[in-house]
């Protein structure tokens, strides 16, 4: 049976996420002399994933369309480098094409078997106008000109003081969000390109690496981290 467009999109995401995780593991076990190259490949892979998640799930009718889009994205990275809102990096055209040639066979295999690929939790990059609207809504609901230490939420499930701040407390919050929050917004401070609508199942994986506000879809609660790494308010 021919896979439908959502399965095609899922297969591309799955391929890039698996490769990202492989590179993260490789980075931990590699000598320092190899880490720069692995980091570059990791960022190229991440950018391909970000671009993929900026497309809707019904963007490609078949594997050929998906492969064509990815090849176009590779050329974009070669031409423009990586986004200016992360530390500027312009990998060489050789580095980008080498990374692409390494991951392309796995993507092709997964596209061929797209109907059998495990479903990845929902995540999509917010458009710029959508991000601006949601950021404005966040400011209206929670900030109102206050510092992060003065922000309040409509209801807080967790109450704690700094002496009780420990890993087990964060584990409780993490597990609760991961298991119960069907859809969240991750609103990045600086750009729509790293702002998402996503399943709560991504919280545990992404929370430590993305600056921003995690907000429930009804805008009743939020969670973020202060400059010292402490969770400010919570679900």
């Amino acid at each position: 049976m021919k896979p439908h467009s959502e399965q095609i999109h899922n297969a591309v995401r799955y391929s890039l996420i698996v490769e990202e995780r492989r590179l993260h593991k490789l980075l931990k076990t590699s000598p320092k002399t190899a880490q720069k190259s692995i980091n570059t490949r990791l960022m190229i892979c991440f950018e391909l994933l970000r671009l993929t998640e900026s497309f809707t799930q019904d963007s490609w009718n078949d594997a050929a369309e998906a492969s064509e889009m990815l090849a176009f994205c590779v050329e974009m990275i070669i031409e423009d480098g990586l986004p200016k809102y992360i530390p500027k990096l312009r990998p060489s055209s050789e580095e980008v094409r080498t990374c692409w040639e390494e991951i392309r066979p796995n993507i092709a295999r997964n596209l061929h078997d797209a109907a059998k690929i495990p479903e990845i939790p929902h995540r999509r990059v917010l458009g710029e106008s959508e991000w601006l609207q949601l950021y404005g809504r966040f400011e209206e609901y929670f900030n109102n000109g206050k510092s992060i230490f003065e922000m309040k939420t409509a209801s807080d499930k967790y109450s704690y003081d700094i002496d009780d701040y420990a890993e087990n407390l964060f584990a409780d919050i993490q597990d609760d969000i991961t298991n119960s929050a069907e859809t969240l917004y991750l609103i990045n401070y600086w750009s729509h390109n790293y702002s998402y609508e996503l399943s709560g199942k991504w919280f545990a994986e992404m929370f430590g690496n993305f600056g921003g506000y995690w907000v429930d879809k009804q805008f009743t609660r939020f969670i973020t981290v202060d400059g010292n790494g402490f969770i400010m308010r919570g679900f």
Side-chain angles (χ1 to χ4, degrees):
M1 180 183 294
K2 180 183 176 182
H4 53 70
S5 55
E6 289 84 358
Q7 290 171 326
I8 294 290
H9 189 267
N10 182 72
V12 175
R13 291 181 66 222
Y14 176 87
S15 304
L16 293 169
I17 289 165
V18 167
E19 178 63 10
E20 264 196 2
R21 290 170 178 168
R22 185 188 75 82
L23 289 170
H24 272 297
K25 289 180 181 178
L26 186 62
L27 194 61
K28 293 178 180 178
T29 59
S30 297
K32 286 188 176 181
T33 52
Q35 289 181 1
K36 182 178 183 295
S37 173
I38 296 169
N39 265 317
T40 300
R41 285 153 56 197
L42 189 57
M43 285 188 279
I44 292 167
C45 185
F46 180 84
E47 181 63 4
L48 285 173
L49 177 60
R50 185 190 70 81
L51 290 168
T52 296
E53 292 180 333
S54 69
F55 287 88
T56 60
Q57 289 181 300
D58 58 356
S59 293
W60 315 303
N61 292 316
D62 52 40
E65 286 187 9
S67 298
E68 185 178 342
M69 181 279 300
L70 285 168
F72 174 74
C73 290
V74 167
E75 295 304 316
M76 281 179 58
I77 296 172
I78 291 172
E79 181 69 23
D80 300 333
L82 298 176
K84 62 184 178 182
Y85 37 83
I86 62 175
K88 187 62 178 176
L89 175 68
R90 185 180 290 277
S92 68
S93 58
E94 181 181 357
E95 286 175 317
V96 178
R97 290 201 170 98
T98 297
C99 178
W100 172 234
E101 290 304 318
E102 286 177 352
I103 63 179
R104 186 165 63 170
N106 282 337
I107 293 175
R109 280 192 291 271
N110 288 333
L111 284 170
H112 182 267
D113 294 326
K116 301 176 183 177
I117 296 297
E119 185 176 353
I120 298 296
H122 170 69
R123 185 171 70 186
R124 70 174 179 85
V125 176
L126 299 178
E128 186 170 11
S129 60
E130 186 180 15
W131 170 68
L132 288 169
Q133 182 183 29
L134 291 169
Y135 205 108
R137 191 176 173 192
F138 178 86
E139 291 282 316
E140 177 186 353
Y141 275 58
F142 300 123
N143 194 354
N144 197 24
K146 298 176 182 177
S147 74
I148 192 171
F149 294 98
E150 298 172 302
M151 289 182 189
K152 301 295 180 184
T153 61
S155 59
D156 289 323
K157 183 169 182 178
Y158 295 93
S159 177
Y160 50 87
D161 57 43
I162 199 167
D163 293 328
D164 189 41
Y165 195 89
E167 286 187 8
N168 63 324
L169 172 63
F170 177 70
D172 288 344
I173 297 173
Q174 178 174 280
D175 290 347
D176 185 54
I177 293 174
T178 302
N179 295 324
S180 66
E182 184 174 342
T183 307
L184 299 169
Y185 292 119
L186 171 53
I187 305 175
N188 186 272
Y189 313 124
W190 311 114
S191 172
H192 72 94
N193 290 286
Y194 291 118
S195 297
Y196 297 86
E197 177 188 87
L198 71 175
S199 164
K201 295 186 185 302
W202 285 102
F203 180 78
E205 182 168 345
M206 295 178 65
F207 183 68
N209 299 318
F210 283 74
Y213 304 106
W214 292 80
V215 188
D216 71 304
K217 208 165 184 183
Q218 290 71 40
F219 274 73
T220 57
R221 295 172 290 177
F222 78 92
I223 187 169
T224 191
V225 172
D226 72 7
N228 298 310
F230 291 104
I231 294 174
M232 301 302 296
R233 296 298 167 182
F235 278 71

